[in-house]
């Protein structure tokens, strides 16, 4: 092995290790965010409602109260906008469930809102700082 090849190997080895660690850190950060986003969407999709155009009975899933915990995890990971969206959705869902039970909104409006909640929770995006080496909160 020539001296140049040995030097190239010695220089490329630390660069390869650092870039591998950096890329694994980014993948880990994004995977955790993605896991939380899909869990929030799964909870919203598990809201059951039965009825017709005049009356709707809503059954909240037992894990609906996990939405604030998901938002808290998102805040802790540095995804403030995503955490705020999930917190806001939780408040809106609770208000809509009370409104539909009291007859303040129509079943069609509730079903439309339910579709919107799913869209909003599926469209949250991570903070772009996670792509920076110092991007963790």
């Amino acid at each position: 092995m020539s001296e140049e090849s040995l030097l190239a190997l010695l220089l490329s080895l630390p660069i390869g290790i650092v870039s591998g660690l950096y890329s694994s850190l980014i993948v880990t950060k994004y995977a955790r965010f993605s896991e939380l986003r899909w869990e929030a969407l799964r909870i919203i999709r598990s809201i059951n409602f039965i009825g017709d155009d005049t009356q709707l009975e809503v059954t909240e899933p037992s894990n609906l109260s996990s939405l604030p915990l998901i938002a808290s995890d998102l805040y802790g990971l540095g995804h403030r906008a995503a955490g705020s969206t999930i917190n806001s959705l939780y408040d809106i869902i609770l208000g809509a469930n009370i409104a539909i039970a009291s007859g303040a909104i129509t079943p069609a409006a509730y079903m439309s809102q339910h579709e919107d909640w799913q869209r909003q929770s599926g469209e949250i995006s991570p903070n772009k700082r996670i792509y920076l080496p110092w991007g963790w909160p």
Side-chain angles (χ1 to χ4, degrees):
M1 189 179 259
S2 71
E3 190 174 308
E4 287 181 15
S5 297
L6 186 59
L7 181 61
L9 178 66
L10 289 174
L11 289 176
S12 64
L13 191 61
I15 292 171
I17 290 172
V18 168
S19 65
L21 289 172
Y22 176 66
S23 61
S24 67
L25 180 65
I26 289 174
V27 168
T28 301
K29 290 177 186 180
Y30 187 79
R32 180 67 178 138
F33 169 81
S34 185
E35 174 188 337
L36 291 168
R37 176 179 55 199
W38 290 117
E39 180 63 23
L41 183 58
R42 191 174 302 113
I43 290 169
I44 291 171
R45 285 183 175 162
S46 66
I47 297 172
N48 294 319
F49 45 89
I50 300 172
D52 55 19
D53 291 341
T54 59
Q55 186 177 6
L56 193 68
E57 183 178 327
V58 176
T59 306
E60 290 181 0
S62 60
N63 59 351
L64 184 64
S65 60
S66 297
L67 285 178
L69 298 175
I70 292 171
S72 176
D73 285 347
L74 289 169
Y75 286 133
L77 294 172
H79 306 289
R80 294 224 170 268
S84 294
T85 300
I86 297 299
N87 253 342
S88 174
L89 283 173
Y90 178 68
D91 293 340
I92 292 169
I93 290 168
L94 289 181
N97 288 350
I98 292 169
I100 195 71
S102 67
I105 62 172
T106 65
Y110 185 88
M111 288 185 267
S112 174
Q113 286 181 4
H114 188 262
E115 290 174 16
D116 188 50
W117 302 332
Q118 291 179 64
R119 182 191 54 76
Q120 286 182 36
S121 65
E123 289 179 352
I124 61 172
S125 59
N127 187 336
K128 302 302 181 216
R129 286 187 16 212
I130 68 166
Y131 301 115
L132 302 172
W134 56 88
W136 208 259

